[in-house]
């Protein structure tokens, strides 16, 4: 882990023994789904929310991604067939992990149109747009205040469990890499975090990095970015994915940089307009490689990360998983359009 707080909060006996399950059973201080309207600021209340181009495009097999709680492992099993998975192309916008803040711009029945803060895009200055079920959102002034005033924990493992006890017993739900939650207290083995619905739960210390309010991860090296990316080798591609349940090409590069406190745009075409140009002969690990139409012209449609020795790591397409390739051998149609350094 890159950083560990040097002071550990000593918890009162009552807090150490407190159960997140009991907290969840109590009346929530947050207003889940109901009452949300345009202009509200809300938080994602599921492991990972998937945003659609418009309401009602989903199929019965997509149902596990649209509930609260979600079952993304089941959804991935439903998408085992390549054509079933590829069908999502152009129908999904992006994803947002638990605790992500959104601005609600429209509500239509059981769906809300939102913009996801922290996912930069030229499409909207406020964040990345898309539709998701209203029931996957929650309003909470308390959680909002905690995110602005408390230390925060960022998940560094590919996935980890929220549990009801600091010993890790009584697992509650699994959450993704890059999830950021306010810290309420710490023990040497665990971190108690606030959840958007008003409850709390525990995370293992070795699954997260904890930062003081206003603090960011240490500036990464290119090798740091590559090491983080390699955590996800073998993870199946998912159009619009930005979580440990699936990445698309730019969701992968966006998420790896975000994990190190580096802000880059969400999509490959916008990423290609960001950062510092790098010539092929000057490539270093961590640089991003962009691909457009044959001849390297036109709209950028793909991005990978250079890892050295002529190789790149990337999330290729719906039939494949995060993998390492010789990037020039892979680029059979001569689509390379340039490289950028973001750090």
């Amino acid at each position: 882990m890159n950083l560990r707080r040097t002071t550990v909060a000593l918890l009162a006996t009552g807090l150490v023994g407190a159960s997140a399950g009991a907290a969840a059973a109590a009346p929530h201080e947050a207003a889940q789904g109901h009452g949300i309207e345009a202009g509200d600021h809300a938080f994602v209340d599921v492991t990972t929310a998937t945003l659609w181009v418009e309401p009602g495009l989903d199929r019965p097999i997509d149902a596990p991604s649209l509930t609260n709680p979600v079952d993304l492992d089941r959804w991935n099993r439903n998408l085992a067939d390549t054509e079933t998975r590829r069908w999502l192309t152009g129908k999904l916008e992006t994803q947002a992990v638990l605790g992500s803040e959104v601005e609600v711009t429209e509500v239509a029945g059981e769906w809300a149109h939102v913009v996801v803060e922290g996912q930069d895009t030229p499409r909207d200055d406020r964040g990345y747009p898309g539709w998701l079920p209203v029931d996957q959102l929650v309003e909470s002034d308390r959680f909002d205040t905690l995110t602005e005033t408390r230390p925060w924990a960022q998940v560094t493992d590919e996935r980890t469990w929220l549990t009801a006890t600091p010993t890790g017993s009584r697992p509650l739900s699994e959450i993704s890499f890059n999830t950021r939650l306010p810290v309420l207290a710490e023990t040497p083995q665990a971190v108690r975090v606030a959840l958007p619905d008003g409850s709390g739960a525990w995370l293992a210390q070795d699954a997260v990095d904890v930062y003081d309010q206003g603090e960011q991860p240490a500036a990464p090296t290119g090798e740091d970015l590559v090491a983080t990316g390699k955590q996800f080798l073998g993870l199946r591609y998912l159009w619009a994915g930005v979580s440990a349940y699936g990445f698309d090409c730019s969701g992968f590069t966006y998420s790896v940089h975000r994990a190190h406190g580096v802000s880059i745009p969400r999509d490959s075409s916008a990423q290609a307009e960001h950062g510092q140009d790098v010539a092929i002969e000057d490539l270093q690990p961590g640089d991003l490689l962009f691909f457009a139409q044959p001849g390297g012209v036109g709209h950028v449609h793909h991005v990978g990360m250079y890892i050295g020795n002529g190789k790149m790591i990337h999330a290729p397409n719906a039939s494949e998983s995060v993998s390492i390739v010789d990037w020039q051998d892979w680029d059979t149609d001569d689509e390379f359009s340039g490289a950028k350094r973001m750090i």
Side-chain angles (χ1 to χ4, degrees), residues 230-250:
K230 285 182 176 179
Q231 286 182 253
F232 301 100
L233 284 170
L235 179 66
R236 185 80 179 270
Y237 175 99
L238 177 68
W239 177 271
V242 295
S243 81
Y245 298 88
F247 290 115
D248 65 13
C249 66
S250 57

Side-chain angles (χ1 to χ4, degrees), residues 93-94 115-116 118-129 254 263-267 269-271:
E93 294 279 18
T94 191
V115 290
V116 182
Q119 293 191 20
D120 293 343
T121 172
R123 296 171 57 186
D124 194 310
D125 290 341
R126 297 168 295 179
Y128 210 95
Y254 163 83
S263 178
I264 66 173
R266 165 64 180 84
D267 289 338
S269 56
Q271 290 175 10

